[in-house]
Amino acid sequence: MSLYDAKFFSSRLLGQNRFFTTAGAVLDIEVKGDNQTLAALYVNELERLLAALPIKDYQIKSLVYGGGINIAVKYPYDLLMVACEILDWVWEDIVDLTDREIPVNFARSVKRFKKIIKENQKVILRKIYAKAQTLKLNFFIYKDLLVLGSGKQQFRAPLNQITKLGDIPWKKIANIPTVLITGTNGKTTTTRLTEFICRKAGLFSGYCSTDWVMINGKSFGEGDLSGPTGHQMVLMHPQLDVAVLEVARGGLVKRGLLPNYVAAATVTNIAYDHIGQNGIETLMDLAEAKGVVYSALADDGIAIVNLDDEYIPQLKITTSKAYLSTKKNAAELTCYLLADNFIVYLEDSLITIATANEVFTLNDIRKIPLTVDGLARYNYENVLHAVALTFALGIEPRAIQRGLRLFGGDAKSNFGRWNHYHSTRHGQLVVDIAHNPAGLTSVLNLAQDYRRLHGLTGKFGLMYGVTADRRETLPEIAKIIADDNIDFVVIKEFQESLRGSELGEMPQQVYDALIAAGYPDAKIKIIPNELEAVQYVLSQAQPADFWMLCTHDLLTDVSRLLRDTVSAEKKAAE
């Protein structure tokens, strides 16, 4: 292919990242060909240019994979946008050289970037960043504000008011306790439960997730805020005692980690998702990318390690580690227990925390609302992650136990995750997310178990869709649906998250995959808009039916429709 057709995008790396422990910039190129040779050519030209510029404190790293190339450069914080421009410029030179045989005008490039560096460098900002690193304080820029530390212990001031290091009260600044949560599935539920336990323990707490930012139970913004923007919003709140931050893969690999020096971090699990993107070709690659959260731990921070996962225990972690397992018993876990850590496990279904000196018995995991009478076994892991994180924060076991008991399995506590609406006219309607094969398998297994437990004999329907960046999972998704005795499928579309696809493209591909898997055409209907799809479901569903409604773009609207439907039925029956 012509390199002119290759998509490329540069971005700043704001903190810990896959390449460096400090800030930098990365260029992501989507290209297929002799990528090793192309990367070597690019790195050679980039090195030649950087060596001729006045900034000598830089480092280059490359990642070559089947679908593209990542080139990263470590550069001074005040010049990160310049670093992005350099990465783009060199790529365009390589494209011209390769596709059109136009020689690189090296003298022009050097002259251009010497001028840009001179115009953009802010040496005082560079010095502040360096001192913040030495003191191990969080550092970021929000609009025209410098922010150091976090929460109630932060310092912030307009950048133009800081002219020397002595303008900053360094001894009064600190980081509040912060936890990072990433993984393939369960991130949002774990984040919400962890923050809830903190709040019920009396801490002024906040969290960000793929849905919103919440500060002490109140919304401070909606949208996918599981990256640097959401992290900033939480960490900057001046009353905050503790921050609980969901970390999504996209932000992690493209922007790095804004918060560092955190108290605890966990990777919930690793399953097939986004393979083939951003240099991630295997599940171990995915584990290592998500495992960057462990690199952001403070010296006394604790890495929570899920022993039930095949890949997470293989990660190289240099800090203290605590362990959890839903499968191993106390005897099997004893070898992991040290003088300065703890383990979390299930003993006859009782959530248990053990240190070298004490054992704390908490709730029966089958009796807390989040596990739906013990049927939602995928939430067992999420519960243990939240227990481990809050215990690492120093919260007393009794307070953790209370939080687990009070966190509801409903829309108020865990919006968009197994939100169950019982309609007298339309049967059982459950809203969930299930965005990948592992997630879909989990919620369908729970649905089938729920139907058996409650003797539901009506039709089992599913509303589902797949995003363009997960199209490679379509054969597996279709097989799961075809093998699970689903009676009817309504295919919806991620109309607000097309991710490179055209309108109508992905629903058709889902349909084609289902037909290829042997699912009957007569049992499929395509209704791209989520709200319209649910309205169709309500027009068809009968009192004995069960519908799993996997909802994303219009979650708030769909939830309101179902809530109003059930409410209207109750009023009519009065």
Side-chain angles (χ1 to χ4, degrees):
M1 67 177 281
S2 167
L3 295 186
Y4 275 103
D5 298 326
K7 295 179 181 178
F8 67 99
F9 177 78
S10 62
S11 57
R12 294 175 297 162
L13 297 169
L14 299 173
Q16 291 275 352
N17 54 80
R18 290 189 293 169
F19 304 98
F20 314 112
T21 59
T22 58
V26 63
L27 179 69
D28 188 350
I29 308 165
E30 295 180 24
V31 62
K32 291 184 178 180
D34 187 354
N35 287 358
Q36 289 288 353
T37 300
L38 182 59
L41 177 64
Y42 181 98
V43 169
N44 181 68
E45 192 58 37
L46 178 63
E47 172 66 44
R48 187 164 74 111
L49 176 57
L50 292 177
L53 298 177
I55 301 300
K56 302 304 178 185
D57 182 19
Y58 66 85
Q59 185 180 354
I60 301 170
K61 289 189 177 180
S62 63
L63 176 62
V64 181
Y65 59 105
I69 303 167
N70 285 176
I71 307 291
V73 58
K74 184 180 78 170
Y75 222 57
Y77 191 92
D78 57 307
L79 294 171
L80 294 185
M81 291 303 295
V82 176
C84 289
E85 191 169 346
I86 291 172
L87 291 171
D88 291 343
W89 182 272
V90 172
W91 173 247
E92 289 167 358
D93 274 350
I94 294 299
V95 171
D96 281 342
L97 177 65
T98 304
D99 281 2
R100 299 173 61 186
E101 298 183 356
I102 299 175
V104 173
N105 189 333
F106 183 69
R108 181 189 64 169
S109 298
V110 172
K111 181 179 179 180
R112 170 185 171 81
F113 284 105
K114 279 184 176 180
K115 181 175 183 290
I116 291 175
I117 287 171
K118 185 177 181 180
E119 292 172 346
N120 287 274
Q121 65 183 350
K122 296 180 176 64
V123 176
I124 182 60
L125 188 59
R126 200 177 307 170
K127 290 180 178 179
I128 295 169
Y129 180 73
K131 182 155 186 176
Q133 280 197 300
T134 300
L135 297 177
K136 298 183 178 178
L137 292 172
N138 278 315
F139 166 104
F140 58 89
I141 305 298
Y142 178 75
K143 296 182 179 178
D144 63 342
L145 287 177
L146 165 69
V147 182
L148 295 164
S150 53
K152 66 197 312 182
Q153 296 177 292
Q154 71 183 281
F155 167 82
R156 67 168 81 168
L159 273 171
N160 58 15
Q161 292 183 10
I162 306 295
T163 60
K164 58 185 184 299
L165 291 177
D167 292 338
I168 298 170
W170 295 99
K171 292 183 179 180
K172 296 181 180 180
I173 306 169
N175 306 316
I176 61 168
T178 300
V179 300
L180 301 177
I181 300 164
T182 190
T184 301
N185 292 306
K187 297 185 295 295
T188 299
T189 296
T190 300
T191 298
R192 291 172 176 171
L193 178 57
T194 300
E195 186 275 336
F196 184 87
I197 294 170
C198 292
R199 181 156 35 100
K200 292 303 177 182
L203 296 170
F204 195 99
S205 56
Y207 77 88
C208 64
S209 68
T210 51
D211 301 306
W212 47 54
V213 165
M214 297 285 283
I215 303 295
N216 223 44
K218 295 182 180 180
S219 174
F220 271 69
E222 294 189 5
D224 187 348
L225 292 165
S226 56
T229 300
H231 297 168
Q232 283 182 340
M233 292 173 68
V234 176
L235 294 172
M236 286 182 66
H237 197 284
Q239 295 175 271
L240 214 63
D241 293 316
V242 62
V244 181
L245 307 178
E246 179 177 340
V247 183
R249 175 207 58 89
L252 191 58
V253 300
K254 296 173 184 176
R255 302 289 303 280
L257 276 172
L258 188 74
N260 291 278
Y261 320 116
V262 302
T266 196
V267 181
T268 56
N269 48 60
I270 298 296
Y272 194 97
D273 202 17
H274 297 296
I275 300 299
Q277 300 173 32
N278 305 112
I280 298 170
E281 296 190 296
T282 67
L283 289 174
M284 196 63 221
D285 289 342
L286 184 60
E288 289 170 351
K290 291 180 178 289
V292 170
V293 296
Y294 293 134
S295 301
L297 285 160
D299 292 341
D300 59 351
I302 300 176
I304 309 301
V305 178
N306 180 4
L307 291 172
D308 295 345
D309 190 271
E310 179 181 353
Y311 302 97
I312 298 167
Q314 298 181 49
L315 295 173
K316 295 178 181 178
I317 302 170
T318 58
T319 61
S320 176
K321 291 178 279 189
Y323 298 90
L324 66 83
S325 175
T326 65
K327 300 174 182 177
K328 298 180 184 295
N329 58 35
E332 294 171 304
L333 291 168
T334 301
C335 60
Y336 296 97
L337 193 56
L338 305 173
D340 62 347
N341 77 341
F342 60 91
I343 53 177
V344 181
Y345 58 97
L346 298 176
E347 189 71 44
D348 296 326
S349 297
L350 296 175
I351 301 165
T352 307
I353 306 170
T355 68
N357 302 313
E358 295 180 277
V359 176
F360 304 98
T361 301
L362 308 183
N363 318 59
D364 185 328
I365 200 164
R366 300 166 300 182
K367 295 181 181 179
I368 62 176
L370 191 58
T371 63
V372 193
D373 299 318
L375 298 177
R377 296 193 64 85
Y378 59 88
N379 269 334
Y380 285 21
E381 268 190 7
N382 300 332
V383 168
L384 295 197
H385 280 290
V387 169
L389 288 167
T390 49
F391 190 72
L393 287 171
I395 294 177
E396 293 293 325
R398 183 174 296 179
I400 298 173
Q401 188 174 20
R402 179 171 180 266
L404 293 174
R405 187 178 72 252
L406 295 176
F407 188 82
D410 54 21
K412 184 177 180 180
S413 293
N414 202 19
F415 188 59
R417 307 300 188 274
W418 194 263
N419 298 162
H420 183 195
Y421 301 87
H422 179 201
S423 164
T424 55
R425 292 181 56 202
H426 311 293
Q428 314 294 323
L429 307 162
V430 174
V431 174
D432 209 298
I433 182 169
H435 59 285
N436 55 45
L440 180 60
T441 298
S442 293
V443 296
L444 290 183
N445 286 345
L446 170 54
Q448 295 286 31
D449 288 344
Y450 186 92
R451 292 176 73 229
R452 281 191 288 270
L453 178 65
H454 294 277
L456 301 178
T457 57
K459 290 183 178 180
F460 182 15
L462 172 68
M463 181 182 82
Y464 200 72
V466 176
T467 53
D469 58 346
R470 290 187 171 100
R471 70 177 81 224
E472 78 282 353
T473 67
L474 280 173
E476 185 177 0
I477 291 287
K479 186 175 187 306
I480 291 168
I481 293 171
D483 290 348
D484 210 68
N485 298 316
I486 306 294
D487 293 305
F488 200 89
V489 177
V490 175
I491 301 173
K492 62 79 176 281
E493 183 172 34
F494 290 77
Q495 294 184 318
E496 296 181 12
S497 305
L498 292 173
R499 301 183 184 182
S501 64
E502 299 293 329
L503 279 172
E505 178 183 348
M506 290 311 299
Q508 185 60 47
Q509 290 195 15
V510 174
Y511 172 86
D512 292 342
L514 285 171
I515 296 300
Y519 195 81
D521 170 79
K523 295 184 176 183
I524 304 172
K525 190 171 184 65
I526 296 177
I527 306 178
N529 181 275
E530 284 184 344
L531 188 59
E532 293 174 3
V534 175
Q535 289 169 337
Y536 172 78
V537 168
L538 292 178
S539 73
Q540 301 297 309
Q542 300 299 311
D545 291 350
F546 184 104
W547 275 88
M548 176 62 63
L549 307 171
C550 294
T551 312
H552 305 79
D553 287 350
L554 301 179
L555 177 58
T556 299
D557 295 332
V558 166
S559 299
R560 184 184 300 113
L561 171 63
L562 296 177
R563 187 171 61 248
D564 290 349
T565 298
V566 173
S567 178
E569 290 176 354
K570 289 180 179 178
K571 286 182 180 179
E574 291 176 355

